[in-house]
Amino acid sequence: MKKLLLFILICGNINYFCFAQPGGNFNKAEALQVAYLTKELGLSSEEAQRFWPVFNNYREELKKTRRDNRTDELMFEEKVLNIRKKYSTEFKKIFNNDQRVNRIFQADKNFREILRKELQNRRRNQQKNNRDLPLRQ
């Protein structure tokens, strides 16, 4: 029963990404992140209902900071730290557990690293496939 509720909740978040964003753009990476974090954090359906709106706000704030601070790395890192501190207190309200809050940031970092490696592998494979194509004469 819990798995069914979790599945429904994940689907609801995926639908949110499909239809609630401006222009209706669906980002597969975000859908994968929802599934990955839900599994890694072991979210119950009640926790997930409270967690995802806060996490989505956190992610949007990070995106905005990344856009606004492209040229100043030190300023960017400082703002990211402040955002994490701010949302750390928000996540503590949901989980009441410092270890789980730390797991949120670690799981998010791990997901981004997995995604980065996957993109590198795809680019490498694409370049290899392009080199293997016969030359046209």
Side-chain angles (χ1 to χ4, degrees):
M1 184 66 178
K2 284 184 180 181
K3 289 182 181 182
L4 177 63
L5 289 174
L6 192 57
F7 176 75
I8 291 169
L9 186 63
I10 289 172
C11 289
N13 277 310
I14 290 171
N15 285 335
Y16 167 78
F17 290 125
C18 287
F19 304 111
Q21 292 183 350
N25 294 332
F26 175 70
N27 188 334
K28 288 182 182 180
E30 288 177 342
L32 291 171
Q33 186 179 34
V34 167
Y36 181 83
L37 290 177
T38 299
K39 180 183 176 218
E40 289 297 309
L41 299 174
L43 298 176
S44 70
S45 58
E46 296 83 23
E47 289 172 334
Q49 286 176 337
R50 294 182 305 170
F51 171 76
W52 286 111
V54 175
F55 187 82
N56 290 337
N57 291 338
Y58 163 73
R59 184 174 39 215
E60 287 303 314
E61 203 165 325
L62 285 178
K63 284 180 187 178
K64 182 181 181 313
T65 300
R66 194 171 290 118
R67 276 191 310 267
D68 295 345
N69 296 284
R70 290 180 188 227
T71 58
D72 190 346
E73 183 67 22
L74 187 59
M75 181 65 71
F76 169 72
E77 291 295 330
E78 183 179 347
K79 287 183 177 184
V80 167
L81 179 61
N82 290 333
I83 291 169
R84 287 185 178 148
K85 286 179 181 178
K86 171 185 166 184
Y87 280 92
S88 177
T89 59
E90 294 296 315
F91 292 135
K92 283 178 188 176
K93 293 176 186 175
I94 296 168
F95 296 114
N96 296 322
N97 184 325
D98 287 341
Q99 289 179 340
R100 278 189 88 187
V101 171
N102 287 332
R103 280 180 35 205
I104 294 167
F105 297 118
Q106 188 62 46
D108 184 42
K109 181 179 176 183
N110 291 345
F111 175 80
R112 286 184 281 116
E113 183 64 22
I114 290 168
L115 187 63
R116 186 185 63 78
K117 285 180 181 179
E118 178 64 26
L119 290 173
Q120 282 179 339
N121 288 337
R122 287 183 183 199
R123 285 185 190 128
R124 208 173 297 125
N125 289 338
Q126 186 177 21
Q127 289 172 350
K128 181 183 175 203
N129 290 340
N130 287 342
R131 283 190 302 242
D132 292 344
L133 290 175
L135 295 175
R136 293 184 186 184
Q137 295 181 6

